Amino acid sequence: MAKFALEPVSNSLHREVAPLGVQVVVVEPGGVRTEMASRGIATANRPAAQMTPEQDERYGSLRRHSPRGATA
């Protein structure tokens, strides 16, 4: 089951079992800082660093206009 589906299923279960005196509790984790974004940007920048001048002339504007300017 997807995490997104857990809350509605838990709400339904709560309505089913509440008359029996059973409580349903869902504990959801908060945000966790990871290196995923900076690793992804670094991975995306690797091919750009290896571009020939001709490739940079043709595709460089795409890289420069990408989200966050493709910088870590």
Side-chain angles (χ1 to χ4, degrees):
M1 173 183 313
K3 289 184 277 185
F4 185 75
L6 189 58
E7 187 173 350
V9 169
S10 299
N11 287 338
S12 296
L13 181 62
H14 166 74
R15 288 188 185 100
E16 289 265 337
V17 297
L20 304 173
V22 177
Q23 293 183 339
V24 176
V25 177
V26 176
V27 178
E28 298 180 28
V32 177
R33 177 174 228 125
T34 68
E35 296 179 8
M36 184 179 79
S38 59
R39 283 185 191 172
I41 291 170
T43 299
N45 284 335
R46 237 178 264 131
Q50 299 171 354
M51 283 184 177
T52 65
E54 293 82 16
Q55 291 170 324
D56 189 52
E57 184 177 327
R58 178 175 279 192
Y59 303 112
S61 65
L62 295 173
R63 180 174 40 88
R64 287 186 289 277
H65 291 97
S66 66
R68 297 187 189 185
T71 58

